[in-house]
Amino acid sequence: MSKHTPYRLLFLLLLLPLFSFSQKPFTFVFMTDIHIMPERNAEKGFRQAIKTINKEKPDFVITGGDLIYDALRVNYPRADSLYNIYTSAISGLNMPVYNTIGNHEYFAIYPEAGADTANPLAGNHLFEQRVGPTCQSFIYNGWKFFLLNSVQISGSRNYYGTIDSAQIAWIRKELAATDTNTPIILVTHIPFRTVFNQVADSAAAAPDSIGIILNANEVLALFDRYNLKLVLQGHQHYY
């Protein structure tokens, strides 16, 4: 088990108030690395967090990936049951939810899963069927949000951090229709920028391919002429 994947319910919940002088203030919750499972009272703890969010009454919720633990290394019945737990629990929120995909949502990737990689739901397709799109944008009170899929799968059946060429083309198209003054927020599971390895390991340690978006500079450069205000990211369980 990697240092990025402790076996416990662990998520970051932030209530973020946003406003500018020309727009109505609003709040939203960013909740990442939920890792829901039937063990260790994880579902009970998550439902308690949902009750807390409902009391705060944010305008909406964004999740940052790793919603379940986990589809990478299990068979279909287990993966399906985890998605059932998550979708049932998250339906308890009283406001809209925008979901980001993480590495643990990918199905039938690791060989030990014993799952058929020819299954039409393998990879990110089970997430698409049960949760929704793997990348999307939306506008709220004049702010534009981009939720990206930062997880790609190699031929050796490992995941790594990259924003693929199809998403880059989609981002370019979205930005072409976006005013350069529009405030923008990016949401990603695997981070664009991180000092996790320097803090956790040594001052000279570099992130590996599963710990950072390898083409981060290329992607962030797309926003150079735009009003990028905030990047929300998860994956490393470090606040």
Side-chain angles (χ1 to χ4, degrees):
M1 197 172 301
S2 77
K3 62 191 174 186
H4 303 302
T5 314
Y7 187 73
R8 62 182 183 273
L9 175 67
L10 174 60
F11 60 84
L12 174 65
L13 188 154
L14 297 176
L15 181 66
L16 299 170
L18 294 177
F19 65 92
S20 72
F21 292 114
S22 61
Q23 291 145 351
K24 179 184 176 182
F26 65 96
T27 61
F28 71 93
V29 163
F30 176 61
M31 182 167 47
T32 188
D33 292 83
I34 297 161
H35 288 202
I36 201 166
M37 62 184 85
E39 296 79 19
R40 301 194 178 191
N41 289 321
E43 183 178 359
K44 180 180 178 181
F46 185 44
R47 289 186 183 275
Q48 183 59 51
I50 287 172
K51 290 180 181 178
T52 300
I53 293 170
N54 285 335
K55 289 178 182 177
E56 294 292 339
K57 298 181 179 179
D59 292 274
F60 56 90
V61 171
I62 294 176
T63 65
D66 280 5
L67 314 176
I68 63 174
Y69 191 79
D70 95 330
L72 282 169
R73 51 174 60 82
V74 300
N75 58 24
Y76 176 77
R78 170 71 178 191
D80 186 57
S81 71
L82 294 172
Y83 274 105
N84 285 340
I85 294 171
Y86 177 76
T87 55
S88 174
I90 204 72
S91 68
L93 284 171
N94 296 333
M95 64 289 301
V97 183
Y98 300 92
N99 289 292
T100 306
I101 191 171
N103 49 290
H104 287 300
E105 278 73 71
Y106 274 72
F107 169 57
I109 302 303
Y110 291 168
E112 64 262 34
D116 182 4
T117 56
N119 187 317
L121 296 177
N124 59 22
H125 299 301
L126 184 56
F127 177 94
E128 290 176 324
Q129 182 195 71
R130 300 303 306 277
V131 179
T134 58
C135 65
Q136 60 181 309
S137 70
F138 68 94
I139 295 174
Y140 194 89
N141 280 17
W143 289 66
K144 187 160 188 174
F145 294 76
F146 288 80
L147 279 62
L148 304 178
N149 178 7
S150 57
V151 181
Q152 304 301 320
I153 305 300
S154 70
S156 58
R157 295 177 68 172
N158 287 307
Y159 75 86
Y160 61 98
T162 292
I163 305 298
D164 64 12
S165 58
Q167 283 184 91
I168 290 176
W170 170 75
I171 292 169
R172 291 183 187 277
K173 184 177 180 180
E174 287 283 320
L175 289 176
T178 302
D179 188 283
T180 55
N181 293 316
T182 298
I184 291 173
I185 293 177
L186 298 183
V187 186
T188 174
H189 180 65
I190 297 176
F192 282 102
R193 299 280 187 256
T194 178
V195 294
F196 175 83
N197 296 83
Q198 286 89 345
V199 172
D201 299 326
S202 72
D208 55 25
S209 61
I210 70 170
I212 199 167
I213 293 173
L214 298 175
N215 61 339
N217 287 353
E218 175 189 3
V219 178
L220 292 175
L222 300 175
F223 296 87
D224 279 351
R225 296 190 303 106
Y226 293 85
N227 190 16
L228 179 59
K229 291 289 191 181
L230 181 66
V231 176
L232 296 171
Q233 52 195 29
H235 189 48
Q236 294 173 326
H237 309 174
Y238 187 80
Y239 177 57

